[in-house]
Amino acid sequence: MTPWSLVCPASRGIGFALARRILQTTNAPVVATARKDIEKTKRWLLAGLEVDEGRLTMINVDVLDESTIANAAAACKEKFPISSNANHLHLAFIIPGILFPEKSPAQIDADNALLTFRTNTLGPMLMLKHFAPFLPKKTVVILTDEYAYQNLPSQSTTAVMSARVGSISDNRLGGWYSYRASKAAVNQVVKTFDNHLRTVSGDNALAIAIHPGTVRTELSREFWESVQKDKLFEKEWVAEKLLDVVKSIGVEGRGRCWDWSGKEVPP
């Protein structure tokens, strides 16, 4: 049986750290995506790791261009044939993100807001559209063999990047209109997709949203100085924590949003 993993994108930031962490701590094949510099990104991901380089497959994906997502899915279908019960997508991190921090309604820009939704919400939706067929169906018997599932979750898990600011009930400060709205929409997408998986996959597959906290990446660079030192996380540490969360949630926590510490983010 070949349970494989997907990280989109994996060219930098949290995705980069997640792909390396999966390579280091599991034996699963990893499909990692990037918009450009495919071979260079592959070298960076493998740098310093004592792993079988054949486990890593790099594929071009731009979540703003559905044709690249469709092509990536086609390439994965060749590598991991859906017709074979031996193959399924067991762990997926779908985490594209962009942020325009509008502080007042006057700062809302239509083009920026549209790009935010296309990147943060529609991009993951299209990834789910094209990669859902790789998830195990109800009829598949998943062999929870210790070797085959080394450090992987018990159920096939799709994790989509959300954010605490996407919580409507937790919104006390306002601002960040397009980012907040796009992440609230992500939570709805995840819940809806998980309801679909309940029907077609039963307990074999589930979907969750994840909140990584404030991480020292380019996305948050503008806010580093305003974040408490103990609340600004390094991407490698967050990758470790998010993998722990994904492994611990199980079917009881499906369809909901969870932060890096394993606490639920309210809708």
Side-chain angles (χ1 to χ4, degrees):
M1 177 172 285
T2 304
W4 54 283
S5 299
L6 169 70
V7 182
C8 175
S11 52
R12 59 180 180 173
I14 298 172
F16 182 87
L18 279 168
R20 283 175 60 86
R21 185 73 183 173
I22 295 169
L23 285 167
Q24 286 176 297
T25 61
T26 82
N27 62 307
V30 177
V31 175
T33 78
R35 288 188 298 117
K36 57 183 180 180
D37 299 329
I38 299 297
E39 290 305 316
K40 183 186 296 185
T41 301
K42 184 173 185 177
R43 290 197 300 273
W44 288 344
L45 284 170
L46 292 170
L49 301 185
E50 295 182 0
V51 299
D52 177 4
E53 296 184 6
R55 286 175 52 208
L56 177 60
T57 301
M58 289 297 308
I59 298 180
N60 169 254
V61 168
D62 180 350
V63 296
L64 300 180
D65 182 351
E66 186 176 2
S67 68
T68 68
I69 299 174
N71 290 340
C76 288
K77 189 174 181 180
E78 287 190 14
K79 191 171 183 65
F80 307 104
I82 296 174
S83 59
S84 170
N85 286 339
N87 299 320
H88 70 269
L89 176 55
H90 196 79
L91 176 60
F93 283 97
I94 302 174
I95 56 174
I98 194 170
L99 167 62
F100 296 100
E102 311 100 337
K103 296 179 181 179
S104 73
Q107 293 181 327
I108 297 173
D109 176 87
D111 290 338
N112 289 345
L114 182 59
L115 179 59
T116 298
F117 274 90
R118 289 186 65 204
T119 304
N120 296 354
T121 310
L122 183 58
M125 284 177 64
L126 293 174
M127 287 293 296
L128 297 178
K129 169 185 174 181
H130 289 279
F131 281 85
F134 294 99
L135 302 177
K137 303 297 188 293
K138 276 183 179 180
T139 54
V140 173
V141 178
I142 296 181
L143 303 175
T144 54
D145 176 88
E146 181 178 356
Y147 173 76
Y149 289 85
Q150 177 189 23
N151 288 324
L152 292 171
S154 298
Q155 293 84 17
S156 172
T157 303
T158 299
V160 183
M161 187 65 78
S162 184
R164 187 175 300 279
V165 296
S167 168
I168 295 173
S169 60
D170 192 55
N171 184 355
R172 297 177 177 84
L173 297 176
W176 293 28
Y177 291 84
S178 58
Y179 188 75
R180 283 185 185 275
S182 71
K183 293 302 186 178
V186 162
N187 294 340
Q188 182 68 281
V189 168
V190 166
K191 177 61 177 178
T192 303
F193 182 63
D194 186 71
N195 285 340
H196 166 75
L197 292 180
R198 286 175 184 266
T199 301
V200 300
S201 299
D203 288 346
N204 278 342
L206 60 94
I208 61 172
I210 51 174
H211 165 59
T214 304
V215 186
R216 195 187 297 271
T217 64
E218 288 302 313
L219 182 75
S220 65
R221 177 180 289 275
E222 181 180 342
F223 317 106
W224 291 356
E225 296 300 323
S226 61
V227 178
Q228 296 180 27
K229 188 175 181 180
D230 62 341
K231 297 295 184 181
L232 182 61
F233 307 137
E234 298 299 329
K235 60 182 181 293
E236 292 82 8
W237 184 84
V238 167
E240 178 182 352
K241 292 297 181 182
L242 290 179
L243 275 169
D244 287 344
V245 168
V246 165
K247 289 187 291 183
S248 66
I249 291 302
V251 293
E252 296 81 9
R254 64 188 307 162
R256 291 140 69 185
C257 183
W258 301 91
D259 75 6
W260 56 270
S261 68
K263 296 179 180 177
E264 184 179 2
V265 177

